[in-house]
Amino acid sequence: KQEVTQIPAALSVPEGENLVLNCSFTDSAIYNLQWFRQDPGKGLTSLLLIQSSQREQTSGRLNASLDKSSGRSTLYIAASQPGDSATYLCAVITGGFKTIFGAGTRLFVKA
Amino acid sequence: NAGVTQTPKFQVLKTGQSMTLQCAQDMNHNSMYWYRQDPGMGLRLIYYSASEGTTDKGEVPNGYNVSRLNKREFSLRLESAAPSQTSVYFCASIRTSGGADTQYFGPGTRLTVL
């Protein structure tokens, strides 16, 4: 059974710091991996999607990497800002339309 | 272009009552999902619909039924609500492009069962 773990559960950093969020999964037979952002009381917003054949994706200050063999993905946020404060979720998409989410990392960026 | 809309935004039910959560998307996507989100557990898939007229069980389907009314609409029904169904419910539709399935989420329905 696929399990997705995100570490740390919460993170507080000063503004301007570069940071890395981690996501690990137990079964390397994945279709895609997607990173989301969730603001309090809101739905999820897609940040980056990495297909199983890809190693990384970039969007602005965000860079996501994927290492299927080790069951790991990282989300790198450069020059963090207070507006980046949110919960970040990773989701593994397996065959058969199944999506398994991690519990998320709650990020707080201090001004 | 509203994306994915959900109604209602909030609902309080008594144990044993029934209700239907509505979801609609205007992006012409074939696939739609229903999730529930509980503290510390991430999102769990309840049911999904790969295309109009088809539905399948996800990870936690017990106590729920779904209807894919047409391509736009996918509803979730609780026939006899239980306190364990207190949660935030999210609907998502999926854009498939070149092997990449990107999920777009609605704003959620916050349900409390007393």
Side-chain angles (χ1 to χ4, degrees):
Chain A
K1 178 183 175 183
Q2 178 73 268
E3 294 182 359
V4 180
T5 304
Q6 291 188 247
I7 295 173
L11 181 64
S12 180
V13 300
E15 181 178 7
E17 188 163 303
N18 301 325
L19 59 99
V20 174
L21 306 181
N22 296 294
C23 173
S24 62
F25 47 95
T26 55
D27 186 348
S28 62
I30 67 170
Y31 188 57
N32 294 319
L33 186 143
Q34 193 166 2
W35 282 93
F36 295 88
R37 169 187 173 136
Q38 185 176 29
D39 294 288
K42 304 292 186 181
L44 281 69
T45 300
S46 178
L47 297 174
L48 290 165
L49 181 143
I50 310 176
Q51 297 183 56
S52 61
S53 59
Q54 298 174 328
R55 294 294 297 240
E56 66 177 352
Q57 284 286 334
T58 298
S59 176
R61 294 183 294 109
L62 305 179
N63 175 275
S65 68
L66 174 64
D67 185 343
K68 281 179 52 181
S69 62
S70 65
R72 293 183 179 181
S73 176
T74 62
L75 179 66
Y76 174 82
I77 302 177
S80 59
Q81 303 170 357
D84 294 331
S85 298
T87 296
Y88 291 80
L89 297 148
C90 76
V92 168
I93 298 91
T94 63
F97 295 92
K98 297 296 175 63
T99 303
I100 309 298
F101 278 83
T105 294
R106 188 179 305 172
L107 173 66
F108 180 63
V109 180
K110 298 172 286 186
Chain B
N1 187 335
V4 181
T5 58
Q6 292 183 238
T7 57
K9 291 185 178 180
F10 302 93
Q11 184 71 48
V12 178
L13 294 177
K14 295 181 180 179
T15 296
Q17 288 185 318
S18 63
M19 78 160 296
T20 300
L21 283 64
Q22 306 287 353
C23 174
Q25 54 95 4
D26 61 2
M27 295 177 281
N28 201 37
H29 294 161
N30 286 319
S31 300
M32 298 181 72
Y33 293 3
W34 275 106
Y35 293 95
R36 60 179 289 173
Q37 185 177 34
D38 301 295
M41 298 188 70
L43 279 78
R44 292 180 292 169
L45 184 64
I46 305 172
Y47 270 93
Y48 65 95
S49 171
S51 62
E52 182 180 355
T54 68
T55 61
D56 284 287
K57 296 179 180 179
E59 183 182 357
V60 288
N62 292 343
Y64 305 95
N65 285 299
V66 291
S67 296
R68 183 73 183 269
L69 304 170
N70 47 55
K71 193 171 187 178
R72 290 188 64 250
E73 299 172 291
F74 188 35
S75 63
L76 179 71
R77 182 162 178 84
L78 287 69
E79 292 291 352
S80 179
S84 61
Q85 295 178 305
T86 293
S87 189
V88 182
Y89 291 85
F90 288 101
C91 176
S93 71
I94 294 81
R95 175 176 65 93
T96 301
S97 174
D101 295 341
T102 304
Q103 299 192 37
Y104 297 86
F105 282 78
T109 293
R110 283 149 186 80
L111 174 66
T112 301
V113 183
L114 303 175

